[in-house]
Amino acid sequence: MKNYQRDIDDIQSINVIPKILNVISESTGLGFVAVARVTTDKWLTCGVLDNLNFGLLPGDELKVESTICHEVRQAKQLVVIDDVGTDAYYRDHHTPKIYGFKSYISVPIFRNNGNFFGTLCALDPKPNKLDNSKVVGMFTLYAELISFHLDAIETLREKNKEITTKNHQLATYDFVSSHDLQEPLRKIQMFCSLIREKETQKLTEPVKGYFNKIESAAKRMRHILKDLLEYSEVKELSDRYKFTNLSKVILRTKDRLANEITTSKATLLTEDLYSLKIIPSQIEQLFYCLLMNSITFRSLDRKLVIKIANTIGKGQDFGFEDPESQITYCEIIIQDNGKGFDAVHNEKIFGMFQQLEPSADERSTGIGLAISKRIVENHQGKIIASGVRNKGATFKIYLPTEE
């Protein structure tokens, strides 16, 4: 038996669906917009924006033969009606008479395997100009985006059957990184730009705001993808360990962050650092993530100062118990005078996608500190965070000095 509730729940779990429905309604003036699951014998509301008070909610069902979506499923082609009264075919059609609309559009949603899922449809009791490249392009784009999310959810569901709690986080990432996110993101940005450039005089201020948010979200997703890829690439590569001076690694990191350091007017104070046998590219990424974290969460009340120091000692000197107590570590301390955080978050801060507060910097993805922890653990080391709200944050990194 087909699990239709799962289809409804899947659509409901896609956070962007309400935004899509709102943008469609605001930009076209259509009062009813929905994502529908359509089969040979079912029409089910999965997501809905109902400004016409039809009373339909997610999970509600219409007789499929009473809908034009039924014909869209059969023909596997979209239907667009500007005015039922002047349309040669649909002016005598039973569906407009049943539901009392004049303008209508329904675009098919296909799964990645070619199977028909349902439609992205909208209607209004007033005539409208829908049969044009702008509106059709927007609906087609959003239908593709919904399909992408559905396929992603299904892939994740299959992956989750194969993984255990221990490796759940990594396997979830493997699913994400295996998808080509760049193409749908490119389409989102392209269509937003086209609509704003060519139709800017027709767009209301709220609609322009929606487009700004969509473009910002797409840009942020690019940064998330980049960080996820970096997270996946942190592996133990024993043949890439090199005896390297940490001061040189810091210099390379500063070069990467030159623009950010200049813009934030940050001061970086660094002691002479030791040389260790490390994977240079990974430790550079570690420093990059930690310094970027300091820059992102700097305080606006004072000039940002970041201090980097190090020392050598036994594990017992740093409070480690056996068997780590007799291992010789290089302790690297990175301390800033930024916003800081409450001590209760000392462990939580290293979790994937964890952000203790919203950041104005769209590049902050909540992944950087997870990358940092994975790099340190890959070097058989430890990383400890401590913070004081409105005072600053301190990260202590312990890397073994023995080969």
Side-chain angles (χ1 to χ4, degrees):
M1 182 176 180
K2 176 64 179 176
N3 187 355
Y4 293 108
Q5 186 58 49
R6 191 172 75 174
D7 294 330
I8 296 168
D9 292 342
D10 286 349
I11 292 295
Q12 288 289 299
S13 72
I14 302 173
N15 294 332
V16 76
I17 290 294
K19 294 180 181 178
I20 289 175
L21 303 185
N22 269 301
V23 169
I24 288 174
S25 180
E26 288 286 344
S27 60
T28 64
L30 295 168
F32 179 87
V33 191
V35 178
R37 178 71 170 101
V38 185
T39 68
T40 55
D41 58 357
K42 294 281 185 181
W43 188 103
L44 292 166
T45 307
C46 295
V48 62
L49 184 153
D50 184 7
N51 292 328
L52 301 179
N53 297 318
F54 279 146
L56 288 176
L57 298 172
D60 288 347
E61 182 175 353
L62 298 177
K63 188 176 181 181
V64 68
E65 292 83 4
S66 72
T67 70
I68 294 178
C69 294
H70 176 57
E71 299 172 15
V72 172
R73 185 195 65 80
Q74 291 176 319
K76 294 183 170 52
Q77 293 182 348
L78 61 85
V79 170
V80 186
I81 307 171
D82 285 349
D83 186 353
V84 168
T86 60
D87 190 283
Y89 180 80
Y90 287 102
R91 63 188 177 193
D92 297 320
H93 197 279
H94 61 277
T95 299
K97 295 178 181 179
I98 294 173
Y99 299 108
F101 61 79
K102 291 292 186 181
S103 54
Y104 175 90
I105 181 170
S106 180
V107 175
I109 300 171
F110 294 101
R111 301 298 296 270
N112 192 46
N113 59 9
N115 290 340
F116 183 91
F117 174 83
T119 62
L120 176 60
C121 55
L123 56 84
D124 198 87
K126 300 186 295 295
N128 205 320
K129 293 183 178 180
L130 305 177
D131 194 4
N132 58 76
S133 60
K134 182 186 76 171
V135 174
V136 172
M138 178 174 62
F139 271 77
T140 301
L141 167 67
Y142 286 140
E144 291 177 356
L145 184 60
I146 293 168
S147 174
F148 171 82
H149 278 287
L150 288 171
D151 289 328
I153 291 170
E154 186 60 32
T155 305
L156 178 57
R157 184 177 288 120
E158 293 174 1
K159 288 287 184 179
N160 282 341
K161 293 178 182 179
E162 303 172 359
I163 60 178
T164 62
T165 301
K166 183 177 180 180
N167 62 8
H168 178 272
Q169 187 180 72
L170 179 58
T172 302
Y173 162 67
D174 286 341
F175 138 70
V176 174
S177 65
S178 67
H179 284 72
D180 182 4
L181 299 180
Q182 297 299 328
E183 183 60 18
L185 289 173
R186 186 189 67 79
K187 285 184 178 179
I188 291 172
Q189 292 176 312
M190 178 186 70
F191 276 101
C192 284
S193 297
L194 284 174
I195 292 173
R196 287 204 305 175
E197 289 174 7
K198 296 184 178 181
E199 306 293 334
T200 185
Q201 299 301 322
K202 300 178 182 179
L203 299 180
T204 65
E205 289 303 317
V207 173
K208 291 178 182 178
Y210 285 130
F211 282 120
N212 287 335
K213 291 178 181 179
I214 292 171
E215 288 179 314
S216 177
K219 189 174 181 180
R220 176 172 167 76
M221 190 62 198
R222 288 184 181 275
H223 291 302
I224 291 175
L225 176 60
K226 175 179 175 291
D227 284 352
L228 285 171
L229 290 173
E230 289 176 350
Y231 183 87
S232 73
E233 291 170 355
V234 178
K235 301 175 182 178
E236 186 173 357
L237 305 168
S238 57
D239 60 331
R240 297 190 183 180
Y241 277 82
K242 296 180 180 179
F243 198 70
T244 307
N245 184 266
L246 296 179
S247 293
K248 293 182 178 180
V249 180
I250 287 291
L251 287 175
R252 290 199 296 271
T253 307
K254 286 175 64 178
D255 287 341
R256 288 176 62 184
L257 288 168
N259 184 61
E260 288 81 0
I261 292 173
T262 300
T263 302
S264 64
K265 299 180 180 179
T267 298
L268 191 59
L269 303 176
T270 307
E271 294 182 358
D272 289 335
L273 302 179
Y274 291 100
S275 294
L276 299 175
K277 195 168 187 180
I278 57 172
I279 303 175
S281 61
Q282 290 189 7
I283 298 302
E284 180 181 330
Q285 185 63 29
L286 167 67
F287 288 147
Y288 177 90
C289 291
L290 294 177
L291 294 180
M292 178 59 85
N293 186 75
S294 293
I295 292 171
T296 300
F297 297 100
R298 61 189 180 275
S299 172
L300 299 179
D301 299 329
R302 52 191 171 270
K303 183 178 178 181
L304 176 62
V305 178
I306 307 171
K307 299 178 181 179
I308 303 177
N310 67 171
T311 187
I312 297 290
K314 291 288 186 180
Q316 61 189 12
D317 300 328
F318 303 122
F320 299 159
E321 298 179 353
D322 291 335
E324 290 89 358
S325 63
Q326 298 306 309
I327 297 175
T328 302
Y329 289 94
C330 176
E331 179 192 55
I332 306 165
I333 302 174
I334 299 179
Q335 185 178 40
D336 66 51
N337 63 342
K339 293 181 179 180
F341 52 87
D342 294 329
V344 294
H345 300 304
N346 287 354
E347 291 295 331
K348 177 183 177 181
I349 201 170
F350 292 109
M352 182 73 86
F353 298 113
Q354 291 294 332
Q355 286 184 301
L356 304 186
E357 63 177 73
S359 171
D361 191 333
E362 62 189 3
R363 290 171 299 182
S364 177
T365 60
I367 305 173
L369 294 181
I371 294 173
S372 301
K373 184 176 182 181
R374 193 167 186 215
I375 289 171
V376 173
E377 291 179 345
N378 190 43
H379 283 73
Q380 290 76 53
K382 297 177 181 292
I383 183 169
I384 299 172
S386 60
V388 178
R389 185 166 292 278
N390 298 322
K391 295 292 184 180
T394 301
F395 292 89
K396 294 182 178 180
I397 305 150
Y398 298 93
L399 300 178
T401 61
E402 286 99 351
E403 295 184 6

